[in-house]
Amino acid sequence: MKNFHPLVWKWFQPAIGAPTETQKLAWPKIKKNKNVLIGAPTGSGKTLSAFFSIIDDLIQKGLEGSLEEKTYVVYVSPLKALSNDIEKNLRFPIRGLREELENNNEPQVEINVGLRTGDTTPSQRTAMYKKHPHIIVSTPESLYILLTSISGQKMLSSVETIIVDEIHALVGDKRGSRLALSIERLAHLTKASLKRIGLSVTQKPIEKVACFLTGSPDFNNPNCEIINIGHKRKLDLAVGVPRSPLSPLMANEVWGGSL
């Protein structure tokens, strides 16, 4: 993890633990600004595979004095409830890293996260337009609306990375078509090359999903690094047999849970 700032990595290990296989494979590719599609089971650390590398980039910009008041990252979730959950979970590493910097007498780096869904109030939207958050958490529909407004286009013109979570739930339906259009509009709008990261549990064929993410028409060349861990989790399976024989009338020790 040589590309991470030392203090960022110092915080990660005691706070989160050892990196998962998914994270070990994804971080180097994301750090190289590659388009990345991650297919891995629940609990494999997919979200941090995408976010932690991005947060580290923002921390390093802040310490260098180059972190501007503009939007760098858009995170798209198919569900508003999931968007709210991720927005809250983002604050945990951001808060922890801020404390780590403070404890080591480093300059404070404020990373702002904004939530933009159909439930966002007009006052919250206005505040977001006045002070652009570094990371926007949104839904496909809200991203589509943002791209149709002058204020939204101005805010999104500085985006460098888009993260699409649960991408398998969007491929192949009307919402997915709208999102694909929004991603291409965002890529046209941004000043730099747009980095695309997709996250999902189940994807098949995974190359087709990669083409959806990047907009590539070539199934054999999706212009994307694919990390396919699979969708099965390791199971710890055991069979417990009661000491008393099984019969139509069971002994009290069986119902009491004695094995």
Side-chain angles (χ1 to χ4, degrees):
M1 309 309 161
K2 58 183 179 180
N3 292 324
F4 286 88
H5 190 279
L7 291 180
V8 171
W9 188 238
K10 179 183 177 182
W11 173 85
F12 182 90
Q13 292 176 304
I16 305 297
T20 64
E21 180 185 1
T22 304
Q23 292 162 354
K24 290 178 182 178
L25 293 173
W27 285 338
K29 298 182 185 300
I30 295 174
K31 281 293 188 181
K32 291 180 180 178
N33 293 320
K34 301 284 188 179
N35 296 324
V36 178
L37 175 62
I38 302 172
T42 300
S44 61
K46 292 189 301 298
T47 303
L48 274 183
S49 296
F51 269 128
F52 199 66
S53 178
I54 301 301
I55 292 174
D56 174 70
D57 289 342
L58 297 178
I59 291 289
Q60 294 199 41
K61 286 179 183 292
L63 294 176
E64 295 166 359
S66 60
L67 184 65
E68 302 178 44
E69 192 178 289
K70 65 181 185 181
T71 300
Y72 291 88
V73 183
V74 172
Y75 169 87
V76 179
S77 162
L79 300 173
K80 287 190 293 185
L82 185 56
S83 292
N84 281 285
D85 185 53
I86 293 298
E87 193 269 346
K88 293 175 182 176
N89 290 338
L90 262 175
R91 298 194 184 280
F92 170 68
I94 290 173
R95 182 174 59 252
L97 289 170
R98 184 169 60 244
E99 293 173 355
E100 187 70 36
L101 293 174
E102 182 179 358
N103 293 337
N104 287 271
N105 299 316
E106 292 285 351
Q108 285 298 295
V109 179
E110 292 292 334
I111 299 176
N112 299 312
V113 180
L115 181 63
R116 179 62 165 85
T117 70
D119 296 330
T120 305
T121 65
S123 61
Q124 290 172 328
R125 297 175 190 177
T126 301
M128 191 179 297
Y129 292 144
K130 289 181 178 179
K131 184 178 181 180
H132 296 171
H134 298 115
I135 302 172
I136 291 179
V137 178
S138 188
T139 61
E141 291 74 19
S142 292
L143 175 61
Y144 183 88
I145 293 172
L146 279 174
L147 286 164
T148 62
S149 69
I150 295 176
S151 298
Q153 291 176 7
K154 182 179 179 181
M155 180 169 61
L156 295 174
S157 64
S158 59
V159 170
E160 298 175 357
T161 303
I162 182 167
I163 301 170
V164 183
D165 202 356
E166 301 295 338
I167 192 171
H168 72 283
L170 297 166
V171 177
D173 63 14
K174 191 176 295 183
R175 296 184 77 199
S177 299
R178 177 175 290 180
L179 177 61
L181 175 60
S182 294
I183 293 175
E184 295 309 315
R185 292 183 66 186
L186 181 62
H188 180 74
L189 180 67
T190 53
K191 301 170 184 176
S193 177
L194 182 66
K195 178 167 61 179
R196 310 173 192 210
I197 302 173
L199 310 174
S200 184
V201 177
T202 56
Q203 304 170 49
K204 189 177 182 180
I206 198 166
E207 293 81 8
K208 187 173 182 179
V209 181
C211 288
F212 171 86
L213 177 66
T214 62
S216 172
D218 187 354
F219 186 81
N220 296 314
N221 184 25
N223 187 28
C224 183
E225 297 285 343
I226 298 175
I227 299 172
N228 190 9
I229 304 298
H231 63 278
K232 293 184 178 180
R233 301 182 66 180
K234 292 182 179 179
L235 300 178
D236 184 4
L237 183 63
V239 178
V241 180
R243 287 192 291 267
S244 297
L246 299 177
S247 63
L249 297 176
M250 303 298 294
N252 287 335
E253 65 174 342
V254 176
W255 297 117
S258 176
L259 297 178

